[in-house]
Amino acid sequence: MFWREHGEVLIRQENYHEAACQIILMAFLHRLVNGGGQLDREYAAGTKRLDVLVRWPYTGPDGVRLVQREAMELKVWRAGKDDPLSEGLSQLDGYLDRLSLTAGVLVIFDRRPEAPPWKERGCFEQAATPSGRQVTVLRG
């Protein structure tokens, strides 16, 4: 819903379409972590670094302070290119392995001219990485 409400005007006027997608994602995530979480972000596009790591502190059932970590990778589906799902799952698999996480999130922004209309975007899917880790895929 956030992407539908705020994303279209930004990417239509922005020359850096991948950066625009990252800005919209970060704006949405900042609203979620304002209550105490943190966003670790890497904007070096093309260097094969994790795009976002969300950290959220919480108290476990035994009273011990813990931190939930969620790894997120962002891909942009460009005109004339294949769906980046497979590439994103493989890339995220390596990050999850290094972070010792069993699940992650892959966000795919569809920037193709033939992409579905804005009102139809924003669906969630479940997928698995090559090594079997669970990934929530958000398509926007």
Side-chain angles (χ1 to χ4, degrees), residues 23-92:
I23 289 168
I24 290 295
L25 178 62
M26 297 306 296
F28 172 73
L29 291 173
H30 270 290
R31 298 172 92 190
L32 296 177
V33 300
N34 274 343
Q38 292 180 310
L39 296 176
D40 297 324
R41 51 193 173 235
E42 176 58 65
Y43 290 108
T47 59
K48 304 297 184 199
R49 296 182 197 162
L50 178 65
D51 289 316
V52 179
L53 180 67
V54 179
R55 294 183 292 151
W56 189 263
Y58 69 99
T59 303
D62 56 359
V64 175
R65 196 85 165 129
L66 302 168
V67 176
Q68 177 182 350
R69 298 178 304 149
E70 298 291 335
M72 300 180 76
E73 179 62 20
L74 181 141
K75 292 291 183 195
V76 178
W77 190 353
R78 291 181 170 81
K81 302 290 184 181
D82 292 334
D83 184 345
L85 177 65
S86 179
E87 176 190 354
L89 290 172
S90 294
Q91 193 172 344
L92 187 56

